[in-house]
Amino acid sequence: MMDTSCFIRPAIEADTEAFFDICLRTANGGHDASALYSDPRLPGYIWSVPYLKFAKDFAFVLVQDGRPAGYVIGVPDTSLFDRNLAANWWPSVRREIAGLAPSRPRDGDVLERIQNPRSGTPWLQDQYPAHLHINILPGLQASGWGRRMIDTELQALRNHGVTAVHLGVDPNNERARGFYRHLGFSEFERDGSVAFAMRIDERSR
């Protein structure tokens, strides 16, 4: 049953710390990754906060009892977003993490990604230029709110003239893979990566 104490609203700058926190608490295939990172902000530097900073019109928060419990974020043009982060985000993040040496299982991967940013699914960007991410705290996963949040994001992208969108998924997160299949996304696998994509102009008819 859908929790009626929840609602979706546009994200605001004051949600920054919540974005860091939710990203950390869902970064292990939808589960808490706090033990996997020496700095709790590391996953958020890549997978949540830059979207709030540079694509706020496409950032939405799921609120439960007055507190953020999830977010959905996206960008209409992945290549343009990557160039914007290269100029305006990664230099400041590198200064913030200067001197941090890997000491937990996932540190090395994130630190390398910060030094050498990359798009997760460049092989889909020509046909599906937009992309999105969604994370919901475990207590509200499989609650029906995920679908509503995805619909909110897709409508925002559609309103911006976007016709196709993609997203990456942890290959081990079977629940997420089932969720996107159920929503009508097409599944792709390449070089060990899993992604989903959809034409959203068709969905709006």
Side-chain angles (χ1 to χ4, degrees):
M1 186 178 217
M2 191 169 287
D3 188 336
T4 57
S5 70
C6 297
F7 64 91
I8 299 167
R9 63 162 171 79
I12 57 175
E13 190 71 20
D15 294 320
T16 299
E17 290 306 316
F19 269 53
F20 276 119
D21 180 61
I22 293 167
C23 191
L24 177 69
R25 292 168 63 191
T26 56
N28 185 19
H31 301 285
D32 193 355
S34 298
L36 303 178
Y37 295 97
S38 58
D39 182 333
R41 297 164 74 88
L42 282 177
Y45 283 135
I46 297 175
W47 292 297
S48 66
V49 175
Y51 294 82
L52 177 61
K53 301 292 185 183
F54 298 101
K56 191 183 294 184
D57 289 347
F58 305 95
F60 301 90
V61 171
L62 176 64
V63 178
Q64 182 183 40
D65 297 325
R67 297 174 61 86
Y71 57 75
V72 61
I73 48 184
V75 298
D77 184 328
T78 299
S79 296
L80 179 62
F81 181 69
D82 288 344
R83 293 195 296 272
N84 196 5
L85 296 193
N88 302 303
W89 177 246
W90 299 123
S92 63
V93 173
R94 290 175 192 133
R95 288 192 293 271
E96 287 189 40
I97 65 166
L100 182 63
S103 61
R104 297 280 181 92
R106 299 274 181 90
D107 287 352
D109 175 63
V110 167
L111 293 174
E112 196 277 329
R113 285 172 179 262
I114 290 171
Q115 295 300 330
N116 301 288
R118 58 189 184 271
S119 290
T121 48
W123 41 280
L124 281 176
Q125 290 178 22
D126 286 344
Q127 286 186 281
Y128 303 92
H131 77 267
L132 63 84
H133 295 291
I134 181 173
N135 280 312
I136 301 175
L137 292 178
L140 280 175
Q141 292 173 9
S143 65
W145 282 102
R147 174 187 282 274
R148 286 197 178 187
M149 292 176 74
I150 292 290
D151 285 345
T152 299
E153 182 64 49
L154 294 182
Q155 190 59 54
L157 292 169
R158 202 179 286 122
N159 290 345
H160 194 73
V162 170
T163 59
V165 62
H166 73 276
L167 58 101
V169 174
D170 182 335
N172 299 314
N173 193 337
E174 286 298 335
R175 175 185 283 184
R177 295 173 74 165
F179 171 67
Y180 293 116
R181 291 186 201 113
H182 184 67
L183 291 182
F185 283 81
S186 298
E187 185 170 5
F188 299 86
E189 291 194 44
R190 180 168 168 176
D191 301 328
S193 298
V194 174
F196 287 81
M198 175 188 284
R199 291 203 60 84
I200 60 176
D201 51 343
E202 296 169 358
R203 214 173 129 84
S204 65
R205 292 173 187 168

